[in-house]
Amino acid sequence: MSIKDLFKTNKIKNKARISMKREEHDVPEGIMTKCPDCRHVELTKDLMKGLKVCSKCDHHYKMTAQERVEIFFDEGTFKSLDDHLVSINPLEFPSYIEKIQSDIKKTGLNEAVLTGIGELDGEQIVVAIMDSHFRMGSMGSVVGEKITRAIEKATELSAPFIIFTASGGARMQEGVLSLMQMAKTSVALQRHSAEGHLFISIMTHPTTGGVSASFASLGDINLAEPKALIGFAGRRVIEQTVREKLPEDFQTAEFLLAHGQLDAVVNRKDMRKTVSTIVKLHVKEAQ
Amino acid sequence: MVKYLPFEAPLMQLREKINELKEFTANADVDMSKEISQLEDRFSKLAKEIYDNIQPWDRVQIARHPERPTTKDYINAIFDDFIEFHGDRNFGDDEAIIGGIASFEGRPITIIGHQRGKDTKENIRRNFGMPHPEGYRKALRLMKQAEKFSRPIICMIDTKGAYPGKAAEQRGQSEAIARNLFEMAGLKVPVISIVIGEGGSGGALALCVANQIHMLENATLSVISPEGAASILWKDATLAQKAAEAMRITAPNLKEMEIIDEIIPEVLGGAHNDVVQQALNMKMVLSDSLEKLKNIPADELIENRYNKFRAIGVYTE
């Protein structure tokens, strides 16, 4: 083996190690979990008890849609809607359906959003919870349709509509059909609003692109989890366009709050109580 | 001078040959008129062949043609008494979107559109037709004004997309676009949108929540530019041509998907070849649309708009 070869193997090893590290961060599996932010290691069991918030630095881990159902609703009240919708491949992109199928297996969801009806401290609410573990939470026809149906359900029941967003934006593989889901969900929200019903948008990490530029920003009340990345254009795109380094906190929930784009940044531990209070203050009979 | 696009090269060569012959006939003592008329025949046939087999990427090139007519060109050609109104009343005036009131066939209307520049200087002023939030907020202000005075709204879409900049994010680019989608859904007056050039993503959609959407024959409407799609899907921006086909972004594609209502035919080779005729083609479709929407009550207009967007999407149950 020459000296050159030695360096080659090292390179490959390095790459492999980086990708493994990432996986460890994103999916808290196994007995111990290391915080990607402060590297604090804690028992996964304890982390779950703490709503997947790092006990040392307050880092909010990504959550699956099912995990949010568990921590948000009154026990046993959640009923999912439209689990039977399945994406098709309108632009015939190679391996698109395979990728969808593999994410269905991985997440137990039919698409990147889980919708349903349930109770929050006894009040009936309709929710949509996006899950970034499914195709980065990207929005294609099924995501748009499920959210629209959930909004329509909320309007029909005169119930508040609440969404947890987590999405990279519109889904490339469904082309302009994905773009149009922004308009579809927005017209449904307009009708919900015109009837005088409440909509609370809760932005979680990450909420970007077409999702940020449609329903995520349209809440009567817009909330976000701490440090969540929220924005229209990607950081790299902006840096290339304006040719300057962006501040560290650019497009974080705190940045948006400071620029007047959010009603509040709410820690996950306080989210349930906050939303429940807002809902209670909007109950028609109370007014 | 009209510039030729790459796919038009064979035509350009033939035209040059014809011109050479004509010059030769004029200066020499030989009559070549028969040959010339033969070549002219061949020219028309070749032109038909090329434009009948036009590829998506060719359309993208036409839509991006530097001399392609802009919103202003159509306003000047189609409407009377146009008065431009400026500003969003909050931050500033974004010249990437223009708007105002005018008269169309004797009736007052509000017209709003993306505005590219014709040269570098104007393009810098207009940010190449890529709006900031205040552009969308100006558009919304003018739409609300139109609603108050029961004027139909006509939007022209011609943008690579909303501007991806630091200031745009600070001032709420996402919210500005989302707000337009939301508010346009509830407008009590007819809204007609016409995609006249490139329709890039959310920045284009923010003027598209209309009762009727039309597209010029060579215009495009897409979730991302072909270059962007290629770099995300295949990590290679040079595959833009392939992406333009795969993403189905042309007017015929969108008509087939039942997203748009009418394709407005373009003059041979593209709108830049005859702005006056192109404006007439647009005027006809616009006149039809306004006539159709004229007597529809407000709640039905809103209902129609709802149903139009509600129906978009493909899946199995």
Side-chain angles (χ1 to χ4, degrees):
Chain A
M1 199 201 277
S2 74
I3 291 177
K4 244 185 183 174
D5 287 337
L6 245 163
F7 280 110
K8 260 186 200 159
T9 18
N10 268 352
K11 256 187 196 163
I12 293 163
K13 261 188 193 162
N14 266 339
K15 266 186 193 160
R17 208 159 55 214
I18 285 165
S19 78
M20 266 169 63
K21 228 177 182 173
R22 248 198 209 152
E23 208 146 286
E24 215 174 304
H25 288 160
D26 285 346
V27 194
E29 277 174 342
I31 299 164
M32 304 295 282
T33 305
K34 184 152 98 184
C35 174
D37 223 20
C38 73
R39 315 212 161 261
H40 172 66
V41 179
E42 62 187 306
L43 282 171
T44 307
K45 212 170 59 189
D46 291 345
L47 184 66
M48 300 307 281
K49 263 189 222 154
L51 309 181
K52 287 177 96 172
V53 177
C54 173
S55 61
K56 199 172 166 208
C57 77
D58 223 24
H59 171 78
H60 284 51
Y61 286 78
K62 284 182 186 172
M63 291 191 100
T64 67
Q66 291 96 334
E67 283 167 348
R68 285 201 191 273
V69 167
E70 270 166 44
I71 66 167
F72 196 70
F73 284 97
D74 298 352
E75 215 182 319
T77 62
F78 180 80
K79 279 196 192 69
S80 66
L81 294 165
D82 302 309
D83 290 326
H84 59 296
L85 301 193
V86 183
S87 292
I88 58 176
N89 192 358
L91 305 189
E92 289 146 36
F93 265 103
S95 75
Y96 176 48
I97 291 299
E98 287 77 3
K99 282 174 184 163
I100 295 279
Q101 288 302 334
S102 124
D103 279 3
I104 289 174
K105 258 195 214 135
K106 190 176 87 184
T107 63
L109 301 168
N110 64 330
E111 250 296 345
V113 67
L114 173 65
T115 57
I117 306 175
E119 284 177 22
L120 177 61
D121 287 335
E123 297 294 340
Q124 187 182 48
I125 56 168
V126 181
V127 293
I129 306 170
M130 302 188 85
D131 193 325
S132 62
H133 302 91
F134 194 114
R135 300 274 89 216
M136 299 276 286
S138 62
M139 173 164 64
S141 294
V142 171
V143 170
E145 181 67 21
K146 283 186 78 175
I147 292 172
T148 304
R149 286 189 191 187
I151 298 165
E152 286 174 334
K153 187 54 121 183
T155 313
E156 183 195 315
L157 297 170
S158 302
F161 176 65
I162 293 161
I163 192 160
F164 289 88
T165 62
S167 175
R171 189 174 293 169
M172 298 302 130
Q173 288 88 342
E174 292 187 30
V176 72
L177 289 165
S178 300
L179 180 71
M180 289 294 158
Q181 302 310 307
M182 293 168 63
K184 180 158 98 182
T185 50
S186 298
V187 300
L189 282 173
Q190 196 277 338
R191 180 178 279 189
H192 184 71
S193 177
E195 305 251 329
H197 305 312
L198 175 66
F199 167 38
I200 304 171
S201 170
I202 302 160
M203 295 174 235
T204 75
H205 182 81
T207 296
T208 58
V211 165
S212 163
S214 57
F215 49 83
S217 298
L218 289 172
D220 295 297
I221 292 141
N222 292 334
L223 306 176
E225 286 191 338
K227 303 266 171 62
L229 171 76
I230 304 163
F232 177 67
R235 187 189 184 95
R236 224 167 358 122
V237 176
I238 298 171
E239 273 178 340
Q240 277 162 11
T241 314
V242 300
R243 290 178 195 286
E244 66 173 292
K245 202 96 180 94
L246 296 164
E248 185 88 347
D249 70 338
F250 188 68
Q251 294 183 324
T252 59
E254 291 73 16
F255 176 90
L256 265 81
L257 185 72
H259 286 88
Q261 309 294 337
L262 284 175
D263 287 285
V265 176
V266 180
N267 194 294
R268 190 176 289 158
K269 286 168 181 158
D270 304 320
M271 190 61 87
R272 188 181 195 279
K273 178 96 184 36
T274 305
V275 175
S276 166
T277 308
I278 294 172
V279 168
K280 285 230 181 325
L281 289 172
H282 285 79
V283 172
K284 294 265 153 65
E285 295 86 68
Q287 285 164 2
Chain B
M1 213 203 94
V2 173
K3 291 186 193 90
Y4 284 87
L5 297 167
F7 74 98
E8 298 172 308
L11 267 185
M12 183 177 63
Q13 284 156 8
L14 191 54
R15 174 53 67 202
E16 264 172 22
K17 218 181 253 171
I18 293 171
N19 289 346
E20 265 171 35
L21 271 185
K22 276 184 182 165
E23 215 172 286
F24 184 70
T25 318
N27 298 330
D29 222 5
V30 200
D31 183 18
M32 305 276 281
S33 55
K34 206 173 148 201
E35 285 78 359
I36 291 173
S37 92
Q38 271 174 355
L39 282 178
E40 286 284 7
D41 274 356
R42 225 175 94 195
F43 183 85
S44 338
K45 263 185 214 148
L46 186 62
K48 193 173 163 1
E49 200 185 303
I50 285 180
Y51 293 122
D52 280 355
N53 292 308
I54 193 163
Q55 297 300 303
W57 184 245
D58 304 332
R59 292 194 197 275
V60 171
Q61 299 307 305
I62 295 177
R64 290 174 179 174
H65 197 288
E67 281 166 39
R68 189 166 177 85
T70 66
T71 297
K72 262 197 158 171
D73 295 313
Y74 292 116
I75 291 177
N76 291 337
I78 296 177
F79 305 107
D80 298 315
D81 301 328
F82 174 67
I83 304 173
E84 187 178 349
F85 296 150
H86 296 272
D88 72 337
R89 299 293 187 271
N90 282 303
F91 180 79
D93 184 40
D94 185 352
E95 294 189 79
I97 289 184
I98 62 167
I101 54 172
S103 147
F104 179 76
E105 297 180 332
R107 298 180 59 212
I109 53 102
T110 284
I111 164 89
I112 297 161
H114 298 103
Q115 185 62 49
R116 289 179 291 112
K118 287 270 177 179
D119 49 47
T120 310
K121 206 176 149 199
E122 195 193 353
N123 257 325
I124 287 166
R125 189 156 63 81
R126 300 198 181 278
N127 202 28
F128 296 83
M130 300 167 84
H132 281 73
E134 51 273 21
Y136 294 111
R137 289 172 183 144
K138 169 169 71 176
L140 183 57
R141 180 177 76 80
L142 296 178
M143 288 186 216
K144 288 287 183 185
Q145 186 192 60
E147 185 179 46
K148 174 177 174 184
F149 296 105
S150 308
R151 287 192 290 266
I153 298 163
I154 295 154
C155 294
M156 296 197 190
I157 286 85
D158 187 15
T159 185
K160 288 185 183 302
Y163 188 63
K166 187 178 166 188
E169 296 286 329
Q170 282 171 341
R171 298 200 286 272
Q173 189 73 290
S174 287
E175 197 273 345
I177 293 169
R179 187 61 50 196
N180 277 21
L181 304 178
F182 181 92
E183 293 292 345
M184 285 183 85
L187 289 170
K188 297 187 183 99
V189 292
V191 185
I192 299 163
S193 292
I194 305 173
V195 189
I196 62 170
E198 274 186 280
S201 194
L205 189 68
L207 296 181
C208 267
V209 185
N211 292 92
Q212 300 209 324
I213 307 174
H214 308 311
M215 274 176 88
L216 293 198
E217 194 184 330
N218 295 313
T220 59
L221 183 59
S222 61
V223 67
I224 187 170
S225 69
E227 289 82 358
S231 74
I232 289 180
L233 292 168
W234 305 303
K235 316 267 176 249
D236 186 355
T238 59
L239 294 173
Q241 187 165 348
K242 186 178 160 198
E245 283 160 32
M247 298 296 286
R248 301 201 191 151
I249 59 175
T250 66
N253 291 150
L254 269 90
K255 176 82 179 159
E256 199 189 330
M257 288 189 263
E258 295 177 5
I259 292 172
I260 61 163
D261 294 274
E262 300 278 343
I263 298 174
I264 300 173
E266 286 194 29
V267 295
L268 198 67
H272 56 279
N273 286 319
D274 188 346
V275 183
V276 177
Q277 182 57 45
Q278 191 56 56
L280 281 175
N281 292 358
M282 184 190 285
K283 191 176 176 178
M284 264 169 47
V285 174
L286 196 52
S287 183
D288 262 11
S289 270
L290 279 169
E291 195 57 34
K292 268 185 214 150
L293 300 171
K294 195 167 76 178
N295 293 319
I296 301 180
D299 53 346
E300 258 179 65
L301 284 172
I302 294 169
E303 179 83 24
N304 290 352
R305 230 175 278 136
Y306 192 92
N307 294 336
K308 181 182 182 64
F309 289 94
R310 183 67 189 84
I312 301 175
V314 294
Y315 48 85
T316 55
E317 290 203 47

